[in-house]
Amino acid sequence: MASVFVYHVVGDLTVGKPELVEFHESETVESAIRAIGEFPEGSIPIWKKRSHVGIENSEMKQQRFVGILSSFDIVAFLAKSQCLEDQDKALKIPVSEVVVPNNSLLRVVDPATRLIDALDMMKQGVKRLLVPKSVAWKGMSKRFSVIYYGKWLKNNDSPGNSSNNLPPNLNWSPSASGTPLPDKYCCLSREDVLRFIIGCLGALAPLPLTSIAALGAINADFSFIESSAPAITATKKLPQDPSAVAVTENTSDGQFKILGEISACKLWKCDYLAAAWALANLSAGQFVMGVEDNISSRSLPEFSVDSPTGNSDLVNGGGLKKQRKFSSRSIGFLSNSGSHSFGSRSMYRGRSAPLTCKLSSSLAAVLAQMLSHRATHVWVTEDENDDVLVGVIGYTDILAAVTKPPALMIPINRSTDGFGNEIQC
């Protein structure tokens, strides 16, 4: 295991992070749409309002956390028949009726928590870390300084130091990390952790240049639906992590050919009302590939979503005001109208293209893909055929790979096909 995860603390990743602004469960779906556009991973933490006056400790803060609301959750909610019948009313519904309660998705941790312990939490399903802000570090690791010194910086004020200068998990206190700011927190996402990791790839050698197959980082337990199935079927197959469903086409030899995906990160800054209509009325293939390529424009119904939200615009976080024919481009997906086959890779354009890598792709390459596209996952395809889907790699898989002991890696001259079957390289 790389020492960089042992010698760094969570507080090192909070430098420059803005203060948390809570989004309460009493807020409307319309407000949530706007807020999601400002948060990573296409989702926002939802909180209960405070019921008491005075300073709130970490335990009280944790108890007020409700769950995480994603763009997919909102689109799936708006795609319900009762919401489609009265979209204006649906936009005014409080998010408490939409969010799935799950208090374990966020954990309040002190700034002195070792990074390796934080990674263990995230590998167990935690998606956000809430860190109290303090006036200044005192006796804590300075940003990246421990990499050069090769050991934990001594903290004479803290009795928790061990003989090797490695405190197992210091309790946060004014003497350890500066003066706490009452009720001031910042939120760390898994994307923040990945950005830290990609900034210190040298300390992780040789893992970054090792293939994801050799690292065993490919998750073959992914969700998918056939392109001919109704797009709404994706809402019944949606896993929690990553929040994505592959849209596939079966080949003659029984393999899955990936055409696109329906996911929170693809719907992150889409036209939510248009996407909801499409999810309820189109096939999965039409949803991800572009309805104009497969249906005559004369057969498309009028799509009316007049909204009394003033000058706000729900496209990329605002409200629709005009009456128009439905277009898959209004979802935010682009397509090539010159092709008419679901199986044609040439149709992929812009946001409609699924983000893919190969079995032989290196961990560093996948990291760069995810961060540059701000994606929560990458679909894995065969080396010889970049259409054939074999698995997916997400945040949890990467965190498990970078903290895995070298002895547990698959031998370098062999790899797997994503289903656990070894193949010769």
Side-chain angles (χ1 to χ4, degrees):
M1 183 187 303
S3 61
V4 65
F5 298 134
V6 178
Y7 292 120
H8 271 286
V9 293
V10 170
D12 295 332
L13 276 65
T14 64
V15 177
K17 292 291 292 183
E19 180 186 339
L20 171 72
V21 177
E22 292 184 358
F23 191 91
H24 296 131
E25 61 179 356
S26 59
E27 296 283 347
T28 65
V29 169
E30 184 177 5
S31 298
I33 290 174
R34 296 192 182 93
I36 284 177
E38 305 299 323
F39 276 75
E41 301 187 30
S43 59
I44 54 175
I46 305 298
W47 302 85
K48 296 178 181 178
K49 286 187 176 181
R50 294 182 58 166
S51 58
H52 62 280
V53 180
I55 296 177
E56 183 179 50
N57 59 33
S58 297
E59 183 179 353
M60 297 164 66
K61 188 81 169 181
Q62 179 75 56
Q63 292 176 350
R64 286 200 300 111
F65 172 69
V66 178
I68 293 180
L69 180 69
S70 73
S71 55
F72 200 137
D73 296 329
I74 291 181
V75 172
F77 171 75
L78 294 175
K80 294 180 178 180
S81 57
Q82 61 268 32
C83 294
L84 291 174
E85 291 172 1
D86 192 344
Q87 293 170 323
D88 294 338
K89 179 180 179 181
L91 292 173
K92 302 302 180 185
I93 289 178
V95 296
S96 59
E97 298 186 24
V98 183
V99 64
V100 178
N102 189 343
N103 187 263
S104 65
L105 296 179
L106 177 142
R107 184 74 59 84
V108 181
V109 299
D110 59 66
T113 302
R114 295 185 305 169
L115 189 54
I116 186 61
D117 297 324
L119 264 58
D120 285 340
M121 296 178 198
M122 289 186 165
K123 287 191 294 183
Q124 298 301 318
V126 174
K127 293 186 177 181
R128 295 286 198 281
L129 295 177
L130 204 62
V131 188
K133 295 179 73 69
S134 58
V135 174
W137 287 135
K138 182 180 180 182
M140 300 296 294
S141 66
K142 298 178 182 178
R143 188 169 174 80
F144 300 119
S145 63
V146 291
I147 295 179
Y148 304 119
Y149 290 111
K151 63 180 181 180
W152 186 276
L153 297 181
K154 289 185 178 181
N155 178 10
N156 294 327
D157 294 331
S158 174
N161 286 342
S162 60
S163 59
N164 61 355
N165 294 327
L166 289 179
N169 192 2
L170 290 177
N171 292 323
W172 179 68
S173 65
S175 64
S177 55
T179 304
L181 300 176
D183 296 334
K184 303 292 184 181
Y185 294 83
C186 63
C187 192
L188 288 179
S189 68
R190 294 177 297 180
E191 181 182 290
D192 295 320
V193 175
L194 258 62
R195 292 191 182 280
F196 173 84
I197 290 175
I198 205 169
C200 53
L201 289 181
L204 300 176
L207 290 178
L209 297 182
T210 306
S211 72
I212 55 175
L215 290 172
I218 302 171
N219 182 5
D221 186 22
F222 57 89
S223 294
F224 66 93
I225 57 175
E226 293 187 8
S227 60
S228 58
I232 195 68
T233 308
T235 62
K236 301 176 183 178
K237 289 179 170 283
L238 187 63
Q240 289 298 315
D241 192 29
S243 180
V245 177
V247 178
T248 63
E249 204 174 52
N250 288 338
T251 63
S252 57
D253 54 357
Q255 295 177 313
F256 300 104
K257 191 174 185 179
I258 185 168
L259 303 178
E261 66 171 295
I262 304 176
S263 65
C265 64
K266 285 291 184 182
L267 297 170
W268 182 16
K269 295 187 178 183
C270 73
D271 180 329
Y272 284 77
L273 295 179
W277 184 93
L279 196 68
N281 291 278
L282 302 180
S283 71
Q286 291 168 350
F287 185 89
V288 302
M289 302 289 288
V291 67
E292 298 90 343
D293 298 332
N294 303 284
I295 300 179
S296 169
S297 60
R298 292 190 296 272
S299 65
L300 294 176
E302 292 288 341
F303 180 54
S304 177
V305 286
D306 297 328
S307 173
T309 53
N311 294 324
S312 63
D313 193 350
L314 274 185
V315 179
N316 294 330
L320 296 172
K321 298 175 293 182
K322 296 182 179 180
Q323 190 173 34
R324 64 184 188 277
K325 280 187 178 294
F326 173 78
S327 166
S328 63
R329 288 178 174 83
S330 67
I331 304 177
F333 291 171
L334 302 178
S335 59
N336 180 7
S337 58
S339 179
H340 298 276
S341 170
F342 280 170
S344 174
R345 291 282 292 184
S346 65
M347 293 181 67
Y348 292 131
R349 294 294 186 272
R351 288 179 57 191
S352 65
L355 193 62
T356 63
C357 66
K358 297 180 182 295
L359 283 166
S360 58
S361 297
S362 68
L363 182 65
V366 174
L367 270 170
Q369 272 186 292
M370 290 179 64
L371 292 176
S372 61
H373 290 271
R374 303 204 73 178
T376 59
H377 59 280
V378 180
W379 300 101
V380 184
T381 62
E382 291 183 347
D383 288 334
E384 300 78 12
N385 191 337
D386 60 1
D387 282 338
V388 177
L389 181 64
V390 296
V392 67
I393 179 170
Y395 286 126
T396 304
D397 306 305
I398 289 179
L399 296 179
V402 297
T403 55
K404 179 181 294 185
L408 297 182
M409 290 195 303
I410 298 174
I412 196 168
N413 63 333
R414 305 179 74 89
S415 61
T416 66
D417 61 1
F419 294 97
N421 301 316
E422 291 188 347
I423 59 175
Q424 295 290 341
C425 296

